[in-house]
Amino acid sequence: MSDSTPAAEGIEPGHFPASPVAAGHVAPCPRRIRGVLDGHTLVDTQHAWYGWEHPYYPQYLFPEAGVDTARFSPTGQTTTNALGRFDTFDLDSSDGKQAGAASRLVEPAGDLPARVWRIEWSALDVWFEESERVFGHPRSPYSRVDAIRSDRHVEVRAGGRVIAEADSVVIVFETGLPPRHYFDPTCVNWAALEPTDSQTVCPYKGVTSGYWCLADDPEGRDIAWSYGFPTPHLQPVAGLVAFYDEVDIIDPGATKAGAP
C-alpha cells in the first residue's frame, strides 16, 4: 500500500512548530525541476513556482515554456482551489490516458500569472530537483527536518506491554509534525510486531523499507516503520524504527502545549 495523504493532515499543533504557510501562498522556486514520463522529459524548467493549495506542502507550477504539452488533451472541465481556477487536461502515457492529470491556470487568485501548469505528482514516473530525485511531493522551502541523536529515556507501550525502550534515540524534528523517536532495532520487542506490506514516501526521508502492526491487532493497523536507505541528510535514521502516536510514547523530557 502506498499513501499520499499529507503527513500533517488532521494533526493539531502541540509542542512543535506549525507550518508557517497558508493556503494560497506563492513563492518562486529557484531550483531546476524535471519530471519524466515513459523515459521522456515532460517538464524541465528553472523558473517554476511553489503554490500552496493547502498549508501542508506546496505544488510545483510551471511556465508553459517548460512543459511539453503535446500529450495533453483538454477535458472541458475546470477545477478551483486556493490558487485560482484551472482548466483540466488528460495526459496520454504508455499505461493509457490519465484523466485530469494536468491543469492550466486561467483565473489566478493571487500573484501567479495565467497559463502556468500543474501536473499531478503521481502522473509522472520520476521527479528531480536539480539532479536529486524527490519522492512523494515537492519539498517546502519553509520546512526544516533535523535528525538528532538524543540520550532521552523513551518507551513505547501498547496494551500494557513495552514495545520499545531505549536510553538513546534519534529524534526527527520536522516542521508541522510532532517529534518522531527512532529506535535501534535491538531496542524493539519484535515478538509484539508483525510486518505489513505498506509503503510510504517522504520528500525529506525517502521511501520506507518496512512497516509493522501489533501482532495481536486483527485489523493489522500500521504502527511502526523504518527507512533502510533514507536520503543523505537523514542518514542518522537509517535502519531505525519509529512509531505512530496510536501507541503510548513515553518521553519524560517532552512538554505539552502551554507547559513550561
Coordinates of all heavy atoms in Angstrom, one line a residue, residues 6 19 21-29 49-61 83 118-119 121 129 134 136-143 203-204:
P6 N -1.2 13.9 3.1 CA -0.3 14.8 3.8 C 0.0 14.3 5.2 O -1.0 14.0 5.9 CB -1.0 16.1 3.7 CG -1.8 16.1 2.5 CD -2.3 14.7 2.4
S19 N 3.1 24.7 10.4 CA 3.5 25.2 9.1 C 3.3 26.7 9.1 O 2.3 27.2 9.6 CB 2.7 24.6 8.0 OG 3.0 25.3 6.8
V21 N 2.9 28.6 6.5 CA 2.4 29.0 5.2 C 0.9 28.7 5.2 O 0.5 27.6 5.6 CB 3.1 28.2 4.1 CG1 2.6 28.6 2.7 CG2 4.6 28.4 4.2
A22 N 0.2 29.6 4.6 CA -1.3 29.5 4.5 C -1.6 29.1 3.1 O -0.9 29.3 2.1 CB -2.0 30.8 4.9
A23 N -2.8 28.5 2.9 CA -3.2 28.1 1.5 C -3.4 29.4 0.7 O -3.8 30.4 1.2 CB -4.6 27.4 1.6
G24 N -2.9 29.3 -0.6 CA -2.9 30.4 -1.5 C -1.6 31.1 -1.6 O -1.4 31.9 -2.5
H25 N -0.6 30.8 -0.7 CA 0.7 31.4 -0.8 C 1.4 30.9 -2.0 O 1.3 29.8 -2.4 CB 1.5 31.1 0.5 CG 2.8 31.7 0.5 ND1 3.0 33.1 0.7 CD2 4.1 31.2 0.4 CE1 4.3 33.3 0.7 NE2 5.0 32.2 0.5
V26 N 2.2 31.8 -2.6 CA 3.0 31.5 -3.8 C 4.4 32.0 -3.6 O 4.6 33.1 -3.0 CB 2.4 32.2 -5.1 CG1 3.3 32.1 -6.3 CG2 1.0 31.6 -5.4
A27 N 5.4 31.3 -4.0 CA 6.8 31.7 -3.9 C 7.6 31.2 -5.1 O 7.3 30.1 -5.7 CB 7.4 31.2 -2.6
P28 N 8.6 31.9 -5.6 CA 9.4 31.4 -6.7 C 10.3 30.2 -6.3 O 10.7 30.1 -5.1 CB 10.4 32.6 -7.0 CG 10.4 33.4 -5.7 CD 9.1 33.2 -5.1
C29 N 10.5 29.3 -7.2 CA 11.3 28.1 -7.0 C 12.6 28.2 -7.8 O 12.5 28.1 -9.0 CB 10.5 26.8 -7.3 SG 11.5 25.3 -7.2
W49 N 7.3 27.8 -9.9 CA 6.8 28.4 -8.6 C 6.4 27.3 -7.7 O 6.1 26.2 -8.1 CB 5.6 29.3 -8.9 CG 5.8 30.5 -9.7 CD1 6.1 31.8 -9.3 CD2 5.7 30.6 -11.2 NE1 6.2 32.6 -10.4 CE2 6.0 31.9 -11.5 CE3 5.5 29.6 -12.2 CZ2 6.0 32.3 -12.9 CZ3 5.5 30.1 -13.5 CH2 5.7 31.4 -13.8
Y50 N 6.4 27.7 -6.4 CA 5.7 26.9 -5.4 C 4.4 27.5 -5.2 O 4.2 28.7 -5.1 CB 6.5 26.9 -4.0 CG 7.8 26.4 -4.0 CD1 9.0 27.2 -3.8 CD2 8.1 25.0 -4.0 CE1 10.2 26.6 -3.7 CE2 9.3 24.4 -4.0 CZ 10.4 25.3 -3.8 OH 11.7 24.8 -3.7
G51 N 3.3 26.7 -5.1 CA 2.0 27.2 -4.8 C 1.3 26.3 -3.8 O 1.3 25.0 -3.9
W52 N 0.8 26.9 -2.7 CA 0.2 26.1 -1.6 C -1.3 26.0 -1.8 O -2.0 27.0 -1.6 CB 0.6 26.7 -0.3 CG 1.9 26.3 0.3 CD1 2.2 25.4 1.2 CD2 3.2 26.9 -0.1 NE1 3.6 25.3 1.4 CE2 4.2 26.2 0.6 CE3 3.6 27.9 -1.1 CZ2 5.5 26.5 0.5 CZ3 4.9 28.2 -1.2 CH2 5.9 27.5 -0.5
E53 N -1.8 24.8 -2.1 CA -3.2 24.6 -2.2 C -3.8 24.3 -0.8 O -5.0 24.5 -0.6 CB -3.5 23.4 -3.1 CG -3.1 23.7 -4.6 CD -3.2 22.5 -5.5 OE1 -3.6 21.5 -5.0 OE2 -2.9 22.6 -6.7
H54 N -3.0 23.9 0.1 CA -3.3 23.7 1.5 C -2.0 24.0 2.3 O -0.9 24.2 1.7 CB -3.8 22.2 1.7 CG -2.8 21.2 1.2 ND1 -1.5 21.0 1.6 CD2 -3.0 20.3 0.2 CE1 -1.0 20.0 0.9 NE2 -1.9 19.6 0.1
P55 N -2.0 24.1 3.6 CA -0.8 24.5 4.3 C 0.3 23.5 4.4 O 1.4 23.8 4.9 CB -1.4 24.8 5.7 CG -2.9 24.9 5.6 CD -3.2 23.9 4.5
Y56 N 0.0 22.2 4.1 CA 1.0 21.2 4.5 C 2.2 21.2 3.6 O 3.3 20.9 4.1 CB 0.3 19.8 4.4 CG -1.0 19.8 5.1 CD1 -2.3 19.6 4.5 CD2 -1.1 20.1 6.5 CE1 -3.4 19.6 5.2 CE2 -2.3 20.1 7.2 CZ -3.5 19.8 6.5 OH -4.6 19.8 7.2
Y57 N 2.1 21.3 2.3 CA 3.3 21.4 1.4 C 2.8 22.0 0.1 O 1.6 22.0 -0.2 CB 3.9 20.0 1.2 CG 2.9 18.9 0.7 CD1 2.6 18.9 -0.7 CD2 2.3 18.0 1.5 CE1 1.7 18.0 -1.2 CE2 1.5 17.0 1.0 CZ 1.2 17.0 -0.4 OH 0.3 16.1 -0.9
P58 N 3.8 22.5 -0.7 CA 3.4 23.1 -2.0 C 3.3 22.2 -3.1 O 3.6 21.0 -3.0 CB 4.6 24.1 -2.2 CG 5.7 23.3 -1.6 CD 5.2 22.6 -0.4
Q59 N 2.7 22.7 -4.2 CA 2.8 22.0 -5.5 C 3.7 22.8 -6.4 O 4.0 24.0 -6.2 CB 1.4 22.0 -6.2 CG 0.3 21.3 -5.4 CD 0.6 19.8 -5.3 OE1 1.2 19.2 -6.2 NE2 0.0 19.2 -4.3
Y60 N 4.3 22.1 -7.4 CA 5.1 22.9 -8.4 C 4.1 23.4 -9.4 O 3.1 22.8 -9.8 CB 6.0 21.9 -9.1 CG 7.2 21.4 -8.3 CD1 7.5 20.0 -8.4 CD2 8.0 22.2 -7.5 CE1 8.6 19.5 -7.8 CE2 9.1 21.6 -6.8 CZ 9.3 20.3 -7.0 OH 10.4 19.7 -6.3
L61 N 4.4 24.6 -9.9 CA 3.7 25.2 -11.0 C 4.7 25.7 -12.0 O 5.7 26.2 -11.7 CB 2.8 26.4 -10.5 CG 1.7 25.9 -9.5 CD1 1.7 26.7 -8.3 CD2 0.4 25.8 -10.2
L83 N -5.4 28.6 -5.2 CA -4.5 29.3 -6.2 C -5.3 29.9 -7.3 O -4.8 30.8 -8.1 CB -3.5 28.4 -6.7 CG -2.5 27.8 -5.7 CD1 -1.6 26.8 -6.3 CD2 -1.7 28.9 -5.0
R118 N 0.1 22.9 -13.8 CA 0.2 22.0 -12.6 C 0.0 20.5 -13.1 O -0.9 20.3 -13.9 CB -0.8 22.3 -11.6 CG -0.7 21.4 -10.3 CD -2.0 21.5 -9.5 NE -2.0 20.8 -8.3 CZ -2.2 19.5 -8.1 NH1 -2.4 18.8 -9.2 NH2 -2.2 18.9 -6.9
I119 N 0.9 19.6 -12.7 CA 0.8 18.2 -13.1 C 0.8 17.4 -11.8 O 1.6 17.6 -10.9 CB 2.0 17.8 -13.9 CG1 2.0 18.7 -15.2 CG2 2.0 16.3 -14.3 CD1 3.3 18.5 -16.1
W121 N 1.5 14.8 -9.2 CA 2.8 14.1 -8.9 C 2.8 12.7 -9.3 O 3.8 12.2 -10.0 CB 3.1 14.2 -7.4 CG 4.4 13.8 -7.0 CD1 4.8 12.5 -6.7 CD2 5.6 14.6 -6.9 NE1 6.2 12.5 -6.4 CE2 6.7 13.8 -6.5 CE3 5.8 16.0 -7.0 CZ2 7.9 14.3 -6.3 CZ3 7.1 16.5 -6.8 CH2 8.1 15.6 -6.4
E129 N 14.7 17.5 -8.4 CA 15.2 18.8 -8.1 C 16.7 18.9 -8.3 O 17.4 18.1 -7.7 CB 14.9 19.2 -6.6 CG 13.5 19.4 -6.3 CD 13.3 20.0 -4.9 OE1 14.2 19.9 -4.1 OE2 12.2 20.4 -4.5
V134 N 13.3 13.3 -6.0 CA 12.4 13.7 -4.9 C 11.2 12.8 -4.9 O 10.6 12.5 -6.0 CB 11.9 15.2 -5.1 CG1 11.0 15.6 -3.9 CG2 13.1 16.1 -5.2
G136 N 7.3 11.6 -3.4 CA 6.1 11.9 -2.6 C 5.4 13.2 -3.0 O 4.2 13.3 -3.4
H137 N 6.1 14.3 -2.9 CA 5.6 15.7 -3.2 C 6.7 16.7 -3.1 O 7.8 16.3 -2.6 CB 4.4 16.1 -2.3 CG 4.8 16.1 -0.8 ND1 5.5 17.1 -0.3 CD2 4.5 15.2 0.2 CE1 5.7 16.9 1.0 NE2 5.0 15.8 1.3
P138 N 6.6 17.9 -3.6 CA 7.7 18.9 -3.5 C 8.0 19.2 -2.1 O 7.2 19.2 -1.2 CB 7.1 20.1 -4.2 CG 6.0 19.6 -5.1 CD 5.4 18.4 -4.4
R139 N 9.3 19.5 -1.9 CA 9.8 19.9 -0.6 C 9.4 21.3 -0.3 O 9.6 22.2 -1.2 CB 11.3 19.7 -0.4 CG 11.8 18.3 -0.6 CD 13.3 18.2 -0.8 NE 13.8 16.9 -0.9 CZ 15.0 16.6 -1.4 NH1 15.8 17.5 -1.9 NH2 15.4 15.3 -1.4
S140 N 9.0 21.6 0.9 CA 8.7 23.0 1.2 C 10.0 23.8 1.5 O 10.8 23.3 2.3 CB 7.7 23.1 2.4 OG 7.6 24.5 2.8
P141 N 10.2 25.0 1.0 CA 11.4 25.8 1.3 C 11.3 26.3 2.7 O 12.3 26.8 3.3 CB 11.4 26.9 0.3 CG 9.9 27.1 -0.1 CD 9.3 25.7 0.0
Y142 N 10.1 26.2 3.4 CA 9.9 26.7 4.7 C 9.9 25.6 5.8 O 9.8 25.9 7.0 CB 8.6 27.5 4.8 CG 8.4 28.6 3.8 CD1 7.3 28.6 3.0 CD2 9.4 29.5 3.7 CE1 7.1 29.7 2.1 CE2 9.3 30.5 2.7 CZ 8.2 30.6 1.9 OH 8.0 31.6 1.0
S143 N 10.1 24.4 5.4 CA 10.2 23.3 6.3 C 11.6 22.9 6.6 O 12.5 22.9 5.8 CB 9.4 22.0 5.8 OG 8.1 22.2 5.7
P203 N 9.4 13.3 0.9 CA 10.4 14.0 0.1 C 11.6 14.3 0.9 O 12.6 14.6 0.3 CB 9.6 15.3 -0.2 CG 8.6 15.4 0.8 CD 8.1 14.0 1.1
Y204 N 11.5 14.3 2.2 CA 12.7 14.6 3.1 C 13.5 13.3 3.5 O 14.7 13.4 3.7 CB 12.2 15.3 4.3 CG 11.4 16.5 4.0 CD1 10.0 16.5 4.2 CD2 11.9 17.7 3.5 CE1 9.2 17.5 3.9 CE2 11.1 18.8 3.2 CZ 9.8 18.7 3.4 OH 9.0 19.8 3.1

